[in-house]
């Protein structure tokens, strides 16, 4: 009983750390390492309340960050476009952020519209494997040649996305992005669209 209690308490602590601090710190690092010049157009799939979207916009003084979501509210309380826009205003980046209600399996953007596409734990929420693969295909479609796909998702999913598109590097993001423990660790898929 004591062991089970200890594991549960530790898992809860890890989850809270990831949710409140770890994932944000990791996304800051990943966006810093993406080599952004500051004028890019970036698309964030399943942007929710804008954590990654806003971090990206901070790095785009002359660029633009676009977020898409279905705003279902199932995953997060308060998941609404006006909340995301208010968060962007509070962060001082409202002038370079926009949000759209859109299904990531059928994006309303032209081919090659973005320099970077990001997604943080969103694609796995699509119920079918075919739908998840369509979302990855759509992300690649809207990327310009040489554009970067940066997706963080649970490791089995990230591996499947990489296999589906036939490219990309996979890297575990470590304890800072665990949800309760290593069995729910997050992996980063980074791919560059061919020219």
């Amino acid at each position: 009983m004591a062991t089970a209690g200890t594991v549960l308490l530790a898992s809860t602590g890890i989850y809270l750390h990831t949710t409140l601090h770890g994932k944000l710190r990791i996304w800051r690092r990943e966006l810093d390492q993406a080599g952004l010049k500051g004028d890019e157009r970036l698309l964030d799939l399943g942007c929710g309340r804008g954590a990654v979207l806003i971090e990206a916009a901070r790095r785009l003084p002359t660029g633009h960050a676009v977020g898409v979501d279905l705003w279902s509210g199932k995953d997060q309380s308060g998941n609404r476009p006006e909340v995301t826009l208010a968060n962007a205003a509070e962060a001082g980046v409202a002038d370079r952020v926009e949000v759209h209600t859109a299904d990531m399996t059928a994006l309303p953007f032209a081919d090659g519209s973005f320099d970077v596409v990001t997604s943080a734990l969103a694609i796995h929420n699509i119920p079918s494997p075919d739908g998840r693969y369509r979302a990855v295909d759509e992300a690649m479609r809207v990327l310009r040649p040489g554009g970067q796909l940066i997706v963080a998702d649970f490791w089995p999913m990230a591996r499947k996305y990489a296999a589906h598109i036939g490219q990309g590097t996979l890297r575990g993001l470590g304890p800072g992005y665990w949800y309760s423990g290593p069995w729910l660790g997050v992996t980063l898929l980074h791919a560059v669209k061919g020219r």
Side-chain angles (χ1 to χ4, degrees), residues 14-175:
I14 291 168
Y15 176 87
L16 288 172
H17 170 73
T18 294
T19 301
L20 300 174
H21 305 289
K23 68 180 180 182
L24 300 173
R25 186 169 48 248
I26 287 170
W27 269 105
R28 285 184 201 112
R29 180 190 73 204
E30 295 304 323
L31 289 166
D32 286 345
Q33 292 176 355
L36 301 176
K37 295 175 293 183
D39 61 351
E40 290 86 355
R41 280 185 46 86
L42 179 142
L43 174 65
D44 187 34
L45 302 177
C47 67
R49 290 176 285 187
V52 174
L53 184 69
I54 291 165
E55 281 302 323
R58 286 183 170 129
R59 289 156 179 80
L60 303 173
T62 60
H64 206 71
V66 178
V68 297
D69 209 311
L70 290 176
W71 316 108
S72 66
K74 283 191 228 176
D75 289 334
Q76 304 174 43
S77 62
N79 186 16
R80 297 186 318 274
E82 50 277 3
V83 171
T84 306
L85 293 173
N87 289 341
E90 186 176 315
V93 295
D95 60 325
R96 39 201 140 134
V97 168
E98 66 182 76
V99 296
H100 297 270
T101 300
D103 183 337
M104 66 180 98
T105 67
L107 293 170
F109 306 109
D111 296 358
S113 298
F114 295 94
D115 302 292
V116 181
V117 175
T118 59
S119 184
L121 287 175
I123 298 173
H124 76 270
N125 289 319
I126 299 169
S128 73
D130 286 345
R132 292 189 289 272
Y133 296 145
R134 271 197 314 275
V136 174
D137 290 341
E138 280 289 277
M140 294 300 285
R141 178 185 68 77
V142 301
L143 272 175
R144 66 164 177 78
Q148 300 181 70
L149 175 68
I150 306 171
V151 174
D153 217 326
F154 296 115
W155 65 267
M157 298 297 184
R159 282 193 347 234
K160 290 177 182 178
Y161 308 153
H164 175 72
I165 61 173
Q167 67 165 310
T169 58
L170 295 166
R171 181 169 38 89
L173 294 174

